[in-house]
Amino acid sequence: MNIHDLNALKQEIPGYGELRVHENTQELIRMTAGNLVSNTAVQTGGVSARVCRDGSWGMASSPLKTQDDLRAVLKAAGENAAFLASRVPKEQLALPGRPGTGHHDFHTKESRVTPKDKLDFIRALDDYMLSRYPDLLSRFILFRGFHQEKWLVTGDGTQSYFYVPRTHIYFGMTVDKDGTPIDLMARTIGGLGEFEDFFGDPKRLYGEMDALYETVMKKREGKFAEAGLKECILAPDLAGILAHEAVGHTVESDLVQAGSVAADLLGKQVAAECISMVDYAHHAFGEICPVPVFIDDEGVAAEDAVLIEGGILKGYMHNRQTAQKYGVPPTGNARAFAFNDEPLVRMRNTCILPGKSKLEDMIASVQDGYYLSHPNNGQADTTGEFMFGVTMGYEIKNGKLGAAILDTTVTGVAFEMLKSVTAVSDDLEWVSSGFCGKKQPASVGMGGPAIQCKINVGGV
């Protein structure tokens, strides 16, 4: 595919419209206890078109990508829009935009490896685990690659190409404690790039495995947390999930329109003054973000969306249509997962900004609480209520880390919990290994510093 193939049809886009060619490649290798249980590579792709006519949207798609297919899909999208407009008349409003032109290609520049090389790499990691920690009850290693490639033109002038690969390795260990399995997974390794950019020598990961083994052995001797509202320090990974799930979804403008708690909070205090939060488009703190979006799938040149500043809710994330409704510029948050998906308002790289405190000073200030270090999946809704799993943490007694704790949960209401924050660390960590679900998946980055707050902890 070539951007010129799409440009040749630009004059045929009726009114506002977009024409997108979109390919996804997903790789998965999983080894459990030395057995290869999964080894797949799947590529899907096709072309889609969306057209807005008389206030109604029409969309069409095809898995084929010839010039004739592009033209047929564009024609069908226009006909669908006209049909809907004839049945449900709407006021035609000018959709705001910010056309962009860009070519962003993150293909690796390293020498390519073969599928066998990848398997050998995973096998070397497993062999190290087996030889180094023979007392493990179980072990697993998982490699996942997810790569998106898109070509896009719009009727108002956007021409865009990007290839964004995302590559990660996960590994976990299980030990026995009096007949009860105790498990823990390491923080994922990888990020923006391909296999060759991260995983040249398996020995570079041995230290991560040693650290995980040491931690899971501490967890084996751990105890259950004491339930209740506790003073806690949330590690950056957990703060990042909180930013994304419990806050981010409430300020996606389509969910605001649907009645999220943030609908009535614009311009009001929703967090402590030390809390600021931004959904970054492609660069943050002088570096490229883990999931960069330069031009979104509506052809809007993406900009950062400031969500919370000094504890005050400042804005939402927008596509063209919601930006028109709220009378603000679009932020470039319209994203589609697959070629036949419509763009939805989605987060990109959502982050609580670093503060001024040192983590060690934050720990020293807690007399009786917890340091929660390893998050698990959780859930949140548009009321801001959340519940997240925690698979590792430590007691804090008299300003010092104490015994490890077993699996627990944290719960609360985001905009209430954030008002209890008393300190924010001066460091930052990004997580980009998961997918966000909202009608369709989306790769996202989430990040943050450590935060000190009051939060409900599950336990005994």
Side-chain angles (χ1 to χ4, degrees):
M1 178 54 61
N2 191 299
I3 194 69
H4 299 297
D5 297 331
L6 275 70
N7 280 333
L9 300 176
K10 187 183 296 186
Q11 301 303 316
E12 300 181 33
I13 299 177
Y16 169 75
E18 63 212 22
L19 187 61
R20 168 170 46 99
V21 175
H22 184 149
E23 294 180 356
N24 288 346
T25 302
Q26 300 189 63
E27 301 174 85
L28 182 68
I29 301 172
R30 183 182 178 107
M31 187 168 289
T32 301
N35 298 306
L36 183 65
V37 297
S38 181
N39 182 16
T40 62
V42 178
Q43 186 174 59
T44 58
V47 59
S48 67
R50 280 202 323 160
V51 170
C52 185
R53 176 172 291 173
D54 298 331
S56 294
W57 291 92
M59 182 174 174
S61 63
S62 169
L64 305 176
K65 294 174 284 187
T66 68
Q67 280 289 85
D68 288 343
D69 297 314
L70 297 176
R71 184 170 280 106
V73 164
L74 188 57
K75 181 174 182 292
E79 292 172 347
N80 291 339
F83 174 81
L84 291 174
S86 69
R87 297 299 190 274
V88 186
K90 297 179 181 179
E91 181 183 3
Q92 177 64 61
L93 299 171
L95 293 172
R98 189 171 48 251
T101 299
H103 184 95
H104 300 96
D105 188 345
F106 293 93
H107 279 93
T108 184
K109 294 179 173 59
E110 304 296 326
S111 299
R112 288 291 191 176
V113 302
T114 66
K116 182 180 180 302
D117 292 330
K118 294 179 183 179
L119 286 173
D120 290 344
F121 186 93
I122 302 300
R123 177 72 67 185
L125 295 180
D126 184 75
D127 288 344
Y128 179 81
M129 260 203 257
L130 178 61
S131 63
R132 183 81 170 177
Y133 325 116
D135 55 336
L136 290 179
L137 192 64
S138 185
R139 64 191 188 275
F140 80 86
I141 303 165
L142 186 148
F143 163 75
R144 174 181 286 160
F146 176 70
H147 317 315
Q148 285 196 318
E149 189 168 25
K150 299 181 186 181
W151 299 257
L152 176 73
V153 296
T154 67
D156 63 351
T158 287
Q159 301 177 33
S160 173
Y161 167 81
F162 82 77
Y163 176 78
V164 174
R166 208 171 54 132
T167 306
H168 294 90
I169 279 182
Y170 316 64
F171 49 86
M173 301 177 184
T174 303
V175 295
D176 177 74
K177 171 67 172 177
D178 300 328
T180 299
I182 305 294
D183 56 27
L184 190 63
M185 188 174 79
R187 191 173 189 269
T188 54
I189 301 166
L192 174 63
E194 299 188 88
F195 185 95
E196 295 83 355
D197 298 313
F198 295 105
F199 306 121
D201 184 352
K203 293 179 181 178
R204 294 173 59 187
L205 274 64
Y206 290 172
E208 298 278 353
M209 292 182 163
D210 292 341
L212 179 63
Y213 179 77
E214 180 180 343
T215 306
V216 76
M217 294 303 286
K218 290 179 181 178
K219 181 178 177 181
R220 187 175 71 165
E221 304 308 317
K223 57 185 179 180
F224 288 107
E226 180 182 318
L229 184 65
K230 301 293 182 180
E231 185 172 14
C232 293
I233 296 174
L234 310 184
D237 284 9
L238 187 50
I241 291 176
L242 179 77
H244 175 92
E245 293 286 358
V247 179
H249 282 302
T250 70
V251 290
E252 291 173 324
S253 55
D254 53 347
L255 296 183
V256 174
Q257 287 183 262
S260 93
V261 66
D264 300 320
L265 296 177
L266 199 61
K268 298 180 180 179
Q269 184 176 358
V270 296
E273 291 184 4
C274 56
I275 292 291
S276 294
M277 183 171 146
V278 176
D279 182 66
Y280 288 102
H282 44 77
H283 282 81
F285 312 106
E287 297 181 353
I288 194 160
C289 291
V291 183
V293 176
F294 295 90
I295 297 173
D296 77 358
D297 292 333
E298 289 185 334
V300 173
E303 293 187 348
D304 300 339
V306 177
L307 306 174
I308 298 174
E309 187 173 34
I312 305 299
L313 184 63
K314 290 292 189 178
Y316 307 133
M317 292 169 276
H318 290 284
N319 63 8
R320 289 183 186 248
Q321 195 164 357
T322 64
Q324 190 281 324
K325 176 179 175 60
Y326 286 93
V328 297
T331 51
N333 282 89
R335 302 178 62 203
F337 178 74
F339 77 92
N340 54 351
D341 284 328
E342 62 176 328
L344 302 177
V345 179
R346 305 303 297 268
M347 283 173 272
R348 300 159 302 186
N349 304 276
T350 313
C351 175
I352 295 175
L353 273 59
K356 299 180 180 179
S357 299
K358 298 293 183 183
L359 178 58
E360 54 269 29
D361 294 335
M362 293 164 62
I363 293 172
S365 71
V366 178
Q367 294 304 301
D368 185 12
Y370 296 101
Y371 175 66
L372 305 177
S373 59
H374 286 60
N376 199 355
N377 291 330
Q379 61 186 32
D381 59 32
T382 56
T383 67
E385 294 182 73
F386 64 86
M387 180 178 70
F388 302 130
V390 176
T391 59
M392 185 66 192
Y394 298 89
E395 289 182 331
I396 305 176
K397 296 291 185 182
N398 300 316
K400 297 183 181 298
L401 292 180
I405 60 172
L406 299 172
D407 292 4
T408 186
T409 58
V410 291
T411 62
V413 177
F415 292 135
E416 293 179 4
M417 186 278 290
L418 287 174
K419 290 177 182 176
S420 75
V421 174
T422 55
V424 178
S425 72
D426 60 359
D427 56 350
L428 172 76
E429 293 183 17
W430 287 104
V431 178
S432 65
S433 56
F435 290 86
C436 170
K438 178 186 170 185
K439 187 179 179 181
Q440 52 184 263
S443 54
V444 293
M446 57 189 81
I451 62 174
Q452 186 172 345
C453 62
K454 294 285 184 68
I455 197 167
N456 288 302
V457 177
V460 295

